[in-house]
Amino acid sequence: MILCVGLATVDLVYRVGRIPGADEKAQATAFEVAAGGPAANAAVTAAALGAPVTLVTAIGSHPLGALIRSDLQNHGVRVIDTAAASGAPPPVSSIVVAGHERTIISRNAGELEFSVPPEGLPEAALTLVDGHHPALAVAAARAARRLVVDAGTWRPVFADILPYAEVVACSSAFRHPAGVVEAPHVVVTHGPAPVTWTSGGVTRSVAVPPVDAVETSGAGDAFHGALAFFLAGGSTMEDALAEAIRVAGVRVRHPGARDWLDRL
């Protein structure tokens, strides 16, 4: 089993001809509602590839939370909700997409803190954390057999998580305050440019085949979910990276939050 720990949101996705400016209105050509968040999207990807996946997150009993639970469960993800007693709205993101451009307004998890369930976290062959919900992230990192960290944006909690990581997967925009990310494997994505992978002091490049990208939203999350899936399945780091790149390539070739999964 793969355990994902982190953020789950309600994503309201509007597709428009162009991103509107200040005081402008735009008529959406399409609209979607789906669960979002780095850990949630990674969990959906790993489940679509065939792994049993559990997501530990904070959703709550607000009616909007039902949208998150329904989407995740419909895509084969078991959900452990550490905020079940909370009636506050879950994190919501409004995403405006125009071709390769997007504008995102989100509240994410805010300053809300949720603790580990009394029964603890389930055992898993591999754990992925995204740094949201710090108490959950630290507990998951300490208990993990193998840990993949989705390091999208620096968060103070990463100082407590990274020492446990087998793999730290960063975007090229990620900046560690110390300037260097230390882990057995450090992976850096550069959009359509080659992925770099540093291990044992040696940095290699893994080619990214050219694709006709129509939408890049969630590509990084798909990459991380696929990387976790193939590593948990016993692939070498090099093979897992190649497969994760392939999966992210499928994601960007198809519009929509979930339709692309059928192409895997």
Side-chain angles (χ1 to χ4, degrees):
M1 187 185 77
I2 293 173
L3 178 66
C4 295
V5 179
L7 185 64
T9 68
V10 177
D11 278 3
L12 309 176
V13 185
Y14 302 86
R15 304 187 188 283
V16 297
R18 66 178 183 86
I19 303 292
D23 295 326
E24 286 188 320
K25 295 182 179 180
Q27 181 67 37
T29 57
F31 173 73
E32 290 180 276
V33 179
N41 284 333
V44 167
T45 301
L49 288 167
V53 181
T54 295
L55 172 68
V56 178
T57 186
I59 300 172
S61 60
H62 188 279
L64 284 174
L67 299 174
I68 300 174
R69 275 187 290 272
S70 176
D71 184 44
L72 292 172
Q73 290 167 358
N74 287 343
H75 289 90
V77 177
R78 175 191 176 214
V79 177
I80 296 177
D81 181 10
T82 63
S86 172
V92 177
S93 294
S94 293
I95 305 167
V96 181
V97 179
H100 293 185
E101 295 184 322
R102 61 179 179 166
T103 297
I104 302 174
I105 300 174
S106 62
R107 183 67 175 89
N108 288 338
E111 293 77 35
L112 300 177
E113 287 281 353
F114 298 97
S115 57
V116 178
E119 65 274 17
L121 299 174
E123 293 187 5
L126 185 145
T127 299
L128 180 147
V129 300
D130 64 10
H132 292 270
H133 304 307
L136 298 177
V138 171
R142 290 175 175 170
R145 295 178 184 174
R146 304 177 67 187
L147 180 66
V148 174
V149 177
D150 169 0
T153 301
W154 171 258
R155 302 176 185 283
V157 71
F158 283 140
D160 298 320
I161 293 173
L162 295 186
Y164 297 94
E166 175 183 339
V167 180
V168 179
C170 318
S171 73
S172 58
F174 180 79
R175 295 292 181 269
H176 191 295
V180 178
V181 178
E182 295 185 1
H185 303 283
V186 178
V187 175
V188 183
T189 57
H190 304 266
V195 173
T196 56
W197 159 39
T198 301
S199 178
V202 178
T203 299
R204 307 166 179 84
S205 292
V206 183
V208 175
V211 297
D212 294 326
V214 298
E215 183 173 330
T216 58
S217 296
D221 303 337
F223 177 89
H224 299 139
L227 183 63
F229 172 83
F230 287 104
L231 287 174
S235 295
T236 65
M237 190 67 195
E238 187 170 10
D239 288 345
L241 284 172
E243 290 293 343
I245 291 168
R246 178 185 64 82
V247 169
V250 176
R251 170 66 191 99
V252 301
R253 288 200 302 269
H254 304 283
R258 298 288 183 248
D259 290 348
W260 72 276
L261 296 169
D262 294 334
R263 310 301 179 109
L264 288 177

